[in-house]
Amino acid sequence: SLWFVAGLGLLYALRVPLRLCENLAAVTVFLNSLTPKFYVALTGTSSLISGLIFIFEWWYFHKHGTSFIEQVSVSHLRPLMGGTESISEPGSPSSNRESETSRQNLSECKVWRNPLNLFRGAEYRRYTWVTGKEPLTYYDMNLSAQDHQTFFTCDTDFLRPSDTVMQKAWRERNPPARIKAAYQALELNNDCATAYVLLAEEEATTIVDAERLFKQALKAGETIYRRSQQCQHQSPQHEAQLRRDTNVLVYIKRRLAMCARKLGRIREAVKIMRDLMKEFPPLTMLNIHENLLESLLELQAYADVQAVLAKYDDISLPKSAAICYTAALLKTRTVSDKFSPETASRRGLSTAEINAVEAIHRAVEFNPHVPKYLLEMKSLILPPEHILKRGDSEAIAYAFFHLQHWKRIEGALNLLQCTWEGTFRMIPYPLEKGHLFYPYPSCTETADRELLPTFHHVSVYPKKELPFFIHFTAGLCSSTAMIALLTHQFPEIMSVFAKAVSMISRTCVEYL
């Protein structure tokens, strides 16, 4: 402001040497002598320049996700106007924090095996028979093939002919070829557990048939597992074989628990899951606790659900939609039956209601796609076999199994509907900063489009909204083009209109 005042004083002192009055009179004469053709050329030129700026801004935004003008203004003009922009050195704590955040984002974009994935033959294929649509993408099934090769094969497969056949079976792309190979393995060895697993997953057309085959697999798997335990210390090859047989046994028991859950024997399913978690605690990466949470919610054993959450909802463990939204559901359950937006706005929120709202905000920030499925604003599809945490695929997998648990609690969905959108007002801007969790990764949209079928409209967050300068340049371009067109078609009328506007503005200035 001091520089501005000094400049005005200097201009006033030099008004006579600079002959400002004469120059102002010359400018007035020049403006009065301009013809309508000049205004046509002027508006046409400005329209062209605005159009070029608009096209460049649009291209830059779609390539980099930000406005070029806004980026330049924030990076260069803001410091000149008194703003501060922190620049972190390579070894500074802020730089280390940014690199840690980027590593976290990469880990959050990792694709995970869906803990509640359905059965290929008994569920996914039946959906295809009824609708004619393929619920699984090639990318999703290819990831499953890689998982099967990792869990069910090892370097010692050549020692057993049946395992050699199954090693080829897991690599087969065609389902009939895989099923045929499984039967060949059973001809070589009637106790080939992985062959029964493949048949239960892909050939069985009902859950009852799948459970029957898994029971046969369990009998064979336990025998092989005990045999491997006795030889585990003989060589590294035997240790690798024990790890493989352990994976097979855990997989079989888990799928048997899921069969029991689907057939209504929920307490039996809970027992199998608890025994698995006690017997094989290192295999927490399989997220068996998420299967347990869903089964306990079905039993309405909310105290047991809270006990599981107390163990797995820890700051050192990776989060998931099942953990965050189940924690929100338990806190919502205590207040949802009496919650009313009108009453809450009059008297304010109680402590329990504040805790419930904060839990919902926390869950929504972790995965913002889930509420639209729980509130049935978007239609559900069959969940994929793999999910992306914090992505649309995880939201589908969670809502597919947990929607009924939210509906069962009176008022829970009402409280969710009243509060979930408030999360986006709490997240700091820009979105790269995050609030309770690490920043939302930008890679989710691409991965979800690979995991989810083409007939599903993928939910995207955050949506790329057009910056202000793109709207501004588009409006400027349109308005100048319209003025140029009107001036060219009706030069006399536009000349009168321009003089009228000039006279009105001059009158307003004199009045002020």
Side-chain angles (χ1 to χ4, degrees), residues 205-262:
T205 56
T206 64
I207 301 298
V208 175
D209 293 339
E211 185 182 38
R212 175 179 54 80
L213 288 168
F214 272 121
K215 287 182 177 179
Q216 291 180 275
L218 178 63
K219 183 178 179 181
E222 287 178 335
T223 302
I224 298 173
Y225 175 72
R226 286 193 294 267
R227 195 179 305 157
S228 298
Q229 276 186 315
Q230 297 172 358
C231 306
Q232 61 176 316
H233 300 298
Q234 295 181 5
S235 66
Q237 290 77 12
H238 285 88
E239 292 180 1
Q241 188 170 342
L242 176 63
R243 284 194 299 270
R244 190 275 308 271
D245 294 336
T246 302
N247 292 336
V248 173
L249 184 62
V250 172
Y251 185 90
I252 293 170
K253 288 186 176 182
R254 178 180 189 160
R255 293 306 255 177
L256 277 173
M258 295 177 71
C259 287
R261 164 69 183 90
K262 292 176 184 292

Side-chain angles (χ1 to χ4, degrees), residues 86-99:
S86 59
I87 302 175
S88 47
E89 297 296 330
S92 63
S94 59
S95 175
N96 296 335
R97 196 180 309 116
E98 290 175 1
S99 61

